[in-house]
Each structure stands twice: as C-alpha cells, then as structure tokens.
Amino acid sequence: MLLGTVGWDGPAWSDSYFPPDLPGDWRLAYYANDASCVLVPADQWCGVPAAPLAALLDELPRGLVFFLEVPPGGGLQGLVNLELFAAHDVVLLVEEGDTRLSNRQRWVAQGPNVWADTGSDRQLVRWSVDAWDLRRLSKEIKSLGRCTMALALDGPAANPGKLPELQTLLQLLGRA
C-alpha cells in the first residue's frame, strides 16, 4: 500500500520532522525517504511559479507517486505545471465528468475523501488524523475496502515521520 500525506511540507513539520539544517529545497527529497506517495492539493502545484517546482522535482529520485488534485471546472490554464511532473508517476484526481486531460491517468472522486481508478477499482483514501492513536488507526485500517491501494494522511497528527510505523501496522494486519 502506498503511504503519504497531503502535501510534503506541513507547517508543523519544521520542528517535528525535518532536520533543522535541511535546506528548504531538499524537503521533498527528504520526504520521499519515508513516503511512497503524496497527495498534492491544486493550489500547491497549479499556477505556482514553475522554476522552484521544477527544481524540486529535478532533484527528486524516481519512485514517489504524485496524486495531483485537479481544480474543478475551468480551462487548462492552471495546469501548465503538469509537464514538470513528466518524469514521475502521476495520477490526476478529478471530479465526476471531468474529461480534461483524458490522455493522463485519472482517478475520479467517489466522495469527499476517496478517489478511484474506474478501470481497476483501485482507490486512494484521504484520512484526517487528529491524534496519533495506533488502536484507532488499526480499527480504521480494518474498515478499509480491499481496493484501497493508497492512503494520504491529513490533519494535525499527519507527519511523514510516522509513516514507517503505519507501514508496520499495515503489515501486521495483512494489508501491506
């Protein structure tokens, strides 16, 4: 199962996850050591300055899967940065009926926090984690459908440093 967070540079992570002397432009590569995917909200990749984003992606080793939220409706103007991700594994997260970029891998929203590949039924689930409680997470893991192949943690307790612990729990529960 792919594990990651929403975004790769949470505000609280400066003190709790990243080493204090780590340059900002190395954070994505550091994140990729603990995570196998990242869910990137549209405002963090669409229409942002291309040069800094390109520099981050150029330094990144291959293997991290990017789930990119596509802004609903509108034209392709904000999606100009999509080409920067060409060398990486990318899944576009779209709303039902969005036919833009049909030549790209697209997963369709199944609700507020679930996207599915309509061709294979594989799913990405976005979990909000308010507190790091392994008992609660264990119950939630048991409730996941068998098609869930990726989890993106969000919320105050979502920290990439906890992903190896979650991976171990998934293994113990036979879900990894």
Side-chain angles (χ1 to χ4, degrees):
M1 186 174 296
L2 299 174
L3 296 177
T5 58
V6 175
W8 63 77
D9 192 4
W13 300 349
S14 292
D15 297 329
S16 64
Y17 176 64
F18 294 115
D21 57 345
L22 185 73
D25 57 344
W26 291 7
R27 288 185 170 193
L28 179 57
Y30 186 87
Y31 170 91
N33 290 315
D34 291 316
S36 49
C37 70
V38 60
L39 189 159
V40 187
D43 65 345
Q44 292 180 16
W45 74 273
C46 282
V48 299
L53 183 58
L56 288 173
L57 295 171
D58 286 345
E59 297 295 321
L60 184 66
R62 304 305 177 245
L64 186 67
V65 176
F66 289 89
F67 289 97
L68 302 177
E69 285 186 328
V70 174
L76 299 178
Q77 179 65 28
L79 304 179
V80 294
N81 287 342
L82 184 57
E83 292 306 316
L84 300 175
F85 292 87
H88 300 280
D89 292 328
V90 171
V91 175
L92 299 177
L93 304 177
V94 300
E95 297 297 320
E96 183 70 42
D98 188 342
T99 58
R100 296 174 294 168
L101 304 162
S102 59
N103 60 333
R104 303 279 185 156
Q105 185 175 5
R106 298 175 321 130
W107 290 18
V108 178
Q110 306 297 300
N113 293 310
V114 177
W115 294 264
D117 176 2
T118 56
S120 70
D121 292 330
R122 293 178 299 169
Q123 293 183 337
L124 162 69
V125 175
R126 178 182 190 163
W127 272 356
S128 182
V129 182
D130 296 325
W132 195 255
D133 179 352
L134 288 177
R135 288 182 196 268
R136 187 177 135 244
L137 289 173
S138 175
K139 289 178 186 175
E140 290 186 32
I141 288 168
K142 291 175 185 175
S143 72
L144 287 174
R146 284 284 165 205
C147 296
T148 302
M149 60 90 48
L151 288 173
L153 304 182
D154 196 7
N159 184 316
K162 298 287 191 175
L163 294 177
E165 192 175 335
L166 182 57
Q167 181 68 39
T168 299
L169 180 59
L170 286 163
Q171 290 169 345
L172 291 170
L173 295 173
R175 293 299 309 260

